Amino acid sequence: MREEPYAIKIDDLTVAYNYKPVLWDIDLVIPEGVLMAIVGPNGAGKSTLIKSILGIVKPIAGSVQVFGKPYKKQVDKVAYVPQKGSVDWDFPTIALDVVMMGTYGSLGWIKRPGQKEKKQALEALEKVGMLEFRDRQISQLSGGQQQRIFLARALVQNASIYLMDEPFQGVDATTEKAIINILKELRKAGKTLIVVHHDLQTVPEYFDWVTFLNVKGIASGPVKDIFNDDNLTKTYGINYKVAVNK
Amino acid sequence: MELTDFFTNYTLRTITLGTAVLGAICGMLGSFAVLRKQSLLGDAISHASLPGIAIAFIITGVKNEHLFLVGALISGLIGTFWIKSIVKRTRLKNDTALGLILSLFFGLGMLLLTFIQKMPNANQAGLDKYLFGQAATLVEEDVWVMAAVTGVSLIVLLLFWKELKLLLFDPDYTKTLGFNTRFLDILITSFIVVAIVLGLQTVGVVLMSAMLLAPAAAARQWTNNLGVMIVLASIFGAFSGVFGTAISASQDNLSTGPVIVLVAAAFVLLSFIFSPRRGLLFRELRFRKNRRELHLKKTLTFMYRIAKEHDNISHPHAIRILNNFQGFTRKTLTKLEEQHLIRVEGNQWALTEKGFQEAESMYVKMGTDHD
């Protein structure tokens, strides 16, 4: 099968944990090389959408294609940055070890990381400005530093697509700038980035593509074309209009 | 039963060795239960194994330790499977499912035990030892079985070290890297089940989970390295076995299982208090030291503000004017004098040159911090 010009293609995706669907009949095509925000209110299914792309959550119906194939066949092309709160940071390990985990996928079963993997991890730590904290126990890191460790771990994977679940949550302005600069650099290198994002004010500044989600897909496309009151209202309800327009 | 009379030296040695190996493997595999936050799963599994032992006896009618262990293994696994299904298929939470299965299986087990006692031809003596364990029944063959299982577990552990570590820290991420998390999950759960079944004879159904958790919980206090933690947990577990056996052998009528568990609990208690970085004692000491230093700094900067008003920074001031300052005590004054930051003469104080400079640098730093 020849490669299509899109990075991810989602057809008729429906996900439900209990009775109520979390995602309903999502059709979405994400072109290659975009820096895309997924926006929507709480409970809109943003994290679930990312998790179903990654195969963490099993859909009731529908399919997800990554570069024309199911995710399972493309694991080496996709990197994931989970929500910071999804793990217990009191786990007995150091920052460098966590970043090294990004190499485990390409190593495969049983094989241990060696010097080459360590070097990759150190480079990634340097890129996110965390090199001096490499031997720090991870619970001793601040929230912003933990977020950067997760980013470094994804960088090590050297993937084509990056899926990030709220990478700016609970980080200070400096860290946010540092992270967005790395994301923009990745896009320049031709990577596709999909980011769950909460701060509507920064969408036009950070992203070039946006998907509005509220259980159903509301709209998806270039920020300059579709990031407008109409779509925000459809996604969030009427009150948001005022806040964003200022 | 007089334990000291009961043992010859050889049996005591066997029992000590057996409890040591058991402690080591429990510490090693229990670390996974603790880090996977499945501590209570161990408790549920061990209680769930009781009906298996009883049913194995009812079906076969023979008293065979190994047969009982197989029965325990099967009903332990069924219990685990049910717990996981309940969590997955109903809206009940993990703790409820654990509690439910634990009491259901344990209740059934107790029922079957009383039923067996009423069986006419039953060789009843002994089944109830699985409740609290009886180390005295350990024979050399048991020790070999334990050692073999420890060896196999260690090899599996080392083989899948990377994957297990990844799963313990971040299961979702493990899945996205293409690893079969179901397999790894089964591996860890089997670890827990195996350790429990091995310990049933010695420690018993009721206390078994403590053997699994206590060494790991104690070890976690001393290190921030997963490998070191597992090794330490094995050592703590082994020592609990040895000390526990020694104490129970030297005191009449003390049953070994509970004593081993108490020794393990002592390890936990000591670790929680005395471990240097996470321990309560040193944390409290650090906290007090920091607070004292903060008092000193605050008092010094307060003095600095007063001294700054004068051309001569070493101009003496009355101690009285410090009385309104919160956090000031006579002790802080003495401390500051000891560090040559101030001079005290009678009921007057004055900043020294050193004290002035230190306060100034602090003042500037604090000032910029807030801007």
Side-chain angles (χ1 to χ4, degrees):
Chain A
M1 191 172 170
R2 289 215 353 248
E3 245 187 32
E4 306 281 337
Y6 59 79
I8 292 175
K9 186 161 179 277
I10 298 171
D11 289 309
D12 302 332
L13 183 77
T14 297
V15 178
Y17 294 117
N18 290 307
Y19 315 102
K20 231 177 113 190
V22 184
L23 290 174
W24 182 256
D25 206 10
I26 306 282
D27 289 303
L28 182 63
V29 175
I30 303 169
E32 206 178 337
V34 295
L35 174 45
M36 184 182 98
I38 301 177
V39 298
N42 291 332
K46 304 182 294 292
S47 298
T48 306
L49 180 62
I50 282 196
K51 285 183 179 170
S52 13
I53 294 173
L54 289 160
I56 298 171
V57 172
K58 249 202 187 138
I60 284 178
S63 71
V64 176
Q65 303 255 300
V66 179
F67 292 124
K69 286 182 196 160
Y71 175 76
K72 270 198 170 161
K73 300 215 166 122
Q74 305 281 34
V75 283
D76 55 332
K77 295 201 172 63
V78 184
Y80 175 43
V81 179
Q83 277 189 29
K84 200 176 66 217
S86 66
V87 301
D88 175 10
W89 288 91
D90 196 34
F91 190 77
T93 194
I94 56 170
L96 178 64
D97 269 348
V98 174
V99 179
M100 295 258 270
M101 287 174 185
T103 67
Y104 287 8
S106 58
L107 282 168
W109 288 92
I110 296 176
K111 211 174 150 215
R112 297 288 181 88
Q115 283 306 314
K116 188 183 130 210
E117 283 75 21
K118 193 175 172 187
K119 208 177 134 235
Q120 290 172 344
L122 289 172
E123 280 168 14
L125 274 168
E126 179 150 37
K127 222 175 256 173
V128 300
M130 289 288 294
L131 193 57
E132 57 181 311
F133 297 100
R134 59 180 177 272
D135 293 324
R136 185 75 69 88
Q137 153 68 21
I138 52 173
S139 64
Q140 308 287 321
L141 298 169
S142 72
Q145 290 171 333
Q146 290 171 345
Q147 192 65 63
R148 281 194 270 176
I149 291 296
F150 263 3
L151 183 60
R153 183 175 72 170
L155 290 178
V156 164
Q157 287 182 252
N158 198 18
S160 308
I161 302 174
Y162 289 80
L163 296 168
M164 308 188 175
D165 203 344
E166 299 195 28
F168 302 116
Q169 192 193 39
V171 305
D172 61 18
T174 328
T175 309
E176 181 161 331
K177 281 276 168 320
I179 292 176
I180 195 66
N181 283 338
I182 291 169
L183 300 196
K184 285 181 172 173
E185 236 172 73
L186 286 169
R187 186 196 44 191
K188 254 185 222 159
K191 316 280 189 187
T192 308
L193 297 111
I194 297 150
V195 181
V196 173
H197 195 58
H198 258 306
D199 183 7
L200 293 172
Q201 314 282 346
T202 53
V203 169
E205 184 192 337
Y206 290 172
F207 300 94
D208 57 12
W209 209 267
V210 63
T211 292
F212 290 95
L213 186 72
N214 192 352
V215 184
K216 293 176 188 171
I218 310 280
S220 181
V223 170
K224 59 176 171 19
D225 297 343
I226 68 156
F227 193 72
N228 53 36
D229 289 348
D230 190 30
N231 282 324
L232 283 167
T233 309
K234 276 189 206 156
T235 312
Y236 287 92
I238 206 129
N239 291 337
Y240 244 93
K241 206 168 172 176
V242 188
V244 176
N245 278 348
K246 275 190 279 194
Chain B
M1 186 170 15
E2 300 278 314
L3 281 177
T4 32
D5 302 339
F6 197 76
F7 294 128
T8 66
N9 249 346
Y10 170 76
T11 34
L12 185 59
R13 209 161 50 227
T14 309
I15 291 163
T16 310
L17 207 60
T19 52
V21 175
L22 177 71
I25 189 174
C26 281
M28 181 169 98
L29 304 182
S31 299
F32 287 89
V34 169
L35 290 175
R36 195 81 218 274
K37 310 210 169 15
Q38 290 186 329
S39 306
L40 278 174
L41 182 64
D43 206 22
I45 294 172
S46 69
H47 282 76
S49 63
L50 190 62
I53 295 169
I55 290 169
F57 177 76
I58 293 171
I59 291 175
T60 62
V62 280
K63 249 188 77 191
N64 178 321
E65 309 283 351
H66 300 307
L67 204 68
F68 291 165
L69 291 193
V70 173
L73 190 68
I74 292 170
S75 73
L77 285 174
I78 292 174
T80 316
F81 180 73
W82 281 9
I83 290 166
K84 300 212 163 179
S85 317
I86 288 177
V87 174
K88 209 169 164 185
R89 281 170 208 195
T90 72
R91 304 186 84 156
L92 293 180
K93 298 284 173 272
N94 199 32
D95 56 337
T96 317
L98 287 171
L100 210 61
I101 295 299
L102 182 151
S103 29
L104 185 72
F105 274 64
F106 189 64
L108 180 67
M110 291 303 287
L111 196 75
L112 291 174
L113 282 193
T114 41
F115 173 71
I116 287 169
Q117 269 168 13
K118 284 179 187 150
M119 276 164 71
N121 60 342
N123 181 2
Q124 301 141 351
L127 270 196
D128 53 344
K129 81 173 183 201
Y130 284 100
L131 280 179
F132 294 103
Q134 202 167 14
T137 56
L138 280 176
V139 293
E140 204 182 314
E141 197 193 332
D142 298 325
V143 181
W144 281 115
V145 170
M146 283 184 205
V149 174
T150 308
V152 172
S153 309
L154 193 63
I155 290 169
V156 173
L157 177 76
L158 289 175
L159 210 57
F160 295 109
W161 176 254
K162 177 184 87 204
E163 289 80 8
L164 290 171
K165 182 175 178 177
L166 189 60
L167 183 79
L168 288 177
F169 177 61
D170 196 343
D172 278 356
Y173 186 71
T174 311
K175 210 169 182 180
T176 69
L177 290 183
F179 290 106
N180 186 342
T181 48
R182 215 180 136 71
F183 167 74
L184 291 169
D185 198 35
I186 290 171
L187 205 61
I188 290 184
T189 309
S190 320
F191 271 175
I192 299 172
V193 174
V194 162
I196 286 169
V197 169
L198 277 185
L200 287 182
Q201 190 186 350
T202 315
V203 181
V205 164
V206 179
L207 292 174
M208 193 47 219
S209 68
M211 260 326 269
L212 214 54
L213 310 178
R220 178 68 190 92
Q221 291 299 108
W222 297 95
T223 176
N224 281 325
N225 179 308
L226 179 63
V228 177
M229 175 182 161
I230 291 174
V231 171
L232 265 184
S234 307
I235 293 171
F236 287 162
F239 272 106
S240 306
V242 173
F243 289 154
T245 309
I247 293 170
S248 80
S250 64
Q251 306 290 321
D252 294 348
N253 291 326
L254 281 185
S255 60
T256 317
V259 177
I260 293 175
V261 168
L262 284 178
V263 173
F267 272 114
V268 176
L269 190 66
L270 292 177
S271 302
F272 269 101
I273 296 173
F274 293 109
S275 75
R277 260 184 286 181
R278 298 164 69 94
L280 295 175
L281 179 68
F282 289 99
R283 194 191 290 175
E284 179 65 26
L285 288 180
R286 266 199 305 275
F287 175 68
R288 285 194 184 177
K289 187 165 166 267
N290 287 342
R291 206 171 41 184
R292 256 200 320 270
E293 269 167 18
L294 217 57
H295 271 169
L296 285 187
K297 281 182 183 164
K298 282 301 266 182
T299 312
L300 193 67
T301 47
F302 184 70
M303 291 167 149
Y304 166 81
R305 259 182 283 166
I306 297 170
K308 213 168 54 161
E309 302 297 312
H310 292 261
D311 292 337
N312 177 11
I313 51 131
S314 293
H315 182 83
H317 300 272
I319 288 174
R320 198 160 30 84
I321 58 173
L322 296 174
N323 284 348
N324 291 332
F325 181 63
Q326 213 180 2
F328 164 78
T329 56
R330 283 277 159 172
K331 223 170 121 191
T332 46
L333 215 57
T334 337
K335 280 261 164 150
L336 286 170
E337 198 184 10
E338 272 169 23
Q339 294 178 21
H340 304 292
L341 297 171
I342 58 164
R343 265 192 309 274
V344 179
E345 278 160 28
N347 49 12
Q348 302 230 300
W349 61 266
L351 279 181
T352 62
E353 187 64 32
K354 186 184 164 201
F356 184 78
Q357 271 163 16
E358 190 142 314
E360 189 166 43
S361 73
M362 242 179 328
Y363 208 73
V364 170
K365 213 163 71 191
M366 297 282 184
T368 49
D369 272 356
H370 285 293
D371 286 343

